[in-house]
Amino acid sequence: MKKARIHVITLAVADFERALAFYRALGLQSAGVTATEFAGDDTHPAGAIVMFHLDGGQILALYPRSELAKDAGIAPGPARSGEFSLGHIVETRQEVDALLAKAEAAGAPVTELHDRPWGIYSGYFRDPDGHLWEVIHNPNA
């Protein structure tokens, strides 16, 4: 049996172009919006999606909030965040500072950086749709 692993994380977004520009400003590479030839309707989702192929075969996808709700068969709701965060681990404190500076330059609100008693150095930012990201350096890992 294979080990459990998350292969795709899909973030619901309000505006593809804004979200794509933001993540590209952080250094992620993408072909842009794809699958636009698959039109949706009131009950079937459209296919248009943005994908960033990450290390280890993982994919970060951006999908319109309305289309994700249709695809999952749930009622669309308002954007909500703060119930979870996505963590990005980097090798040095300087990389934490640099990535948070890129996020801030791209328009993201950034929290104050902090050291934790157990050794982790990190800070948070919110993307244009409010998704919460933590940038982490753990010297003990």
Side-chain angles (χ1 to χ4, degrees), residues 82-103:
E83 296 170 354
F84 70 92
S85 67
L86 299 164
H88 179 69
I89 298 173
V90 296
E91 293 185 20
T92 67
R93 292 172 65 94
Q94 293 78 18
E95 287 179 86
V96 171
D97 297 342
L99 186 52
L100 288 172
K102 279 184 178 180

Side-chain angles (χ1 to χ4, degrees), residues 19-134:
L20 177 59
F22 177 80
Y23 283 102
R24 281 181 170 163
L26 295 183
L28 297 177
Q29 302 296 312
S30 172
V33 180
T34 62
T36 57
E37 68 273 20
F38 301 106
D41 58 30
D42 290 341
T43 56
H44 299 91
I49 192 165
V50 170
M51 291 188 285
F52 300 96
H53 294 272
L54 309 175
D55 288 344
Q58 293 175 315
I59 296 171
L60 175 65
L62 308 176
Y63 199 42
R65 179 170 279 106
S66 60
E67 303 311 294
L68 184 58
K70 283 188 252 180
D71 197 44
I74 61 173
R80 294 175 40 179
S81 68
E83 296 170 354
F84 70 92
S85 67
L86 299 164
H88 179 69
I89 298 173
V90 296
E91 293 185 20
T92 67
R93 292 172 65 94
Q94 293 78 18
E95 287 179 86
V96 171
D97 297 342
L99 186 52
L100 288 172
K102 279 184 178 180
E104 189 168 37
V110 175
T111 67
E112 185 175 330
L113 291 157
H114 54 282
D115 285 292
R116 298 210 183 73
W118 51 88
I120 290 176
Y121 175 69
S122 73
Y124 290 87
F125 69 86
R126 288 188 186 273
D127 76 4
D129 290 281
H131 300 292
L132 185 62
W133 285 82
E134 183 180 18

